[in-house]
Amino acid sequence: MSSISSRDRRHLTNGVKEHLRELSVQLALLNHRVSAGAGLKQVDLDCLDLITRHGPIGPSALARRAGLHPATMTGILDRLQKGGWIVRERDPEAADRRAVTLRAVKERMGEIYRLFGGMNAAMDELCEEYTPEELEVIAGFLRRTTDAGQEVTADLV
């Protein structure tokens, strides 16, 4: 690591934070348009994404991951199920026979993938400009930034 002044380091760090804020806004706008294009509320799309990435998953575990109250989650899951985005299935391994798991309906996910297609293609093109080693550093930075965000968010409750 090169030696730079604390002032220069602060300037670079502030630049990174500013770009992360801009990225946050752009991703929020993208997600808003994708959710509208799919006829979903933003929170429904967020929960559908969590179910897709972490499912099958139980409603309580999903509520914890999403940071939502279980009663709020019930309405979201009802909308997603009614729209054909998810299915609720009995969990045969649960002690409580009423327990269910949530699974995304793969046939419907093509619609979401299509709406995100432009961004996915842009990201593929952008990543081609970096070496595997650079991509590892970027992925590590993003993972650590996500972890820091989760920790800070947990402290706010």
Side-chain angles (χ1 to χ4, degrees):
M1 207 142 107
S2 66
S3 176
I4 63 171
S5 71
S6 60
R7 181 176 169 258
D8 289 342
R9 177 169 277 290
R10 222 175 15 259
H11 178 72
L12 290 171
T13 300
N14 286 338
V16 168
K17 291 189 278 188
E18 180 64 27
H19 288 296
L20 285 172
R21 285 192 294 273
E22 282 298 320
L23 175 60
S24 175
V25 169
Q26 288 305 310
L27 291 176
L29 290 170
L30 174 65
N31 286 338
H32 176 73
R33 293 212 175 137
V34 167
S35 62
L40 296 169
K41 292 183 177 190
Q42 177 65 53
V43 69
D44 297 356
L45 180 64
D46 293 342
C47 290
L48 180 59
D49 179 53
L50 289 169
I51 294 167
T52 301
R53 291 187 297 122
H54 302 288
I57 188 171
S60 296
L62 177 62
R64 281 190 301 277
R65 279 194 181 270
L68 298 170
H69 190 277
T72 303
M73 186 58 60
T74 300
I76 293 167
L77 297 177
D78 287 347
R79 287 191 301 271
L80 289 172
Q81 185 176 21
K82 184 178 179 185
W85 295 101
I86 66 163
V87 291
R88 290 173 166 131
E89 300 172 325
R90 293 280 175 223
D91 185 349
E93 297 180 18
D96 183 346
R97 297 167 93 203
R98 297 169 295 172
V100 297
T101 57
L102 310 166
R103 184 180 50 80
V105 175
K106 289 181 182 179
E107 297 77 20
R108 289 296 314 266
M109 295 311 297
E111 186 175 340
I112 301 295
Y113 298 145
R114 181 185 56 77
L115 291 166
F116 276 116
M119 185 61 174
N120 283 329
M123 290 302 303
D124 288 343
E125 189 176 311
L126 179 66
C127 287
E128 282 297 317
E129 298 175 17
Y130 294 93
T131 66
E133 295 79 16
E134 290 170 325
L135 290 172
E136 286 179 17
V137 170
I138 294 167
F141 172 79
L142 293 172
R143 183 178 52 258
R144 291 175 64 200
T145 301
T146 300
D147 292 346
Q150 288 171 338
E151 288 175 26
V152 171
T153 300
D155 290 344
L156 290 174
V157 289

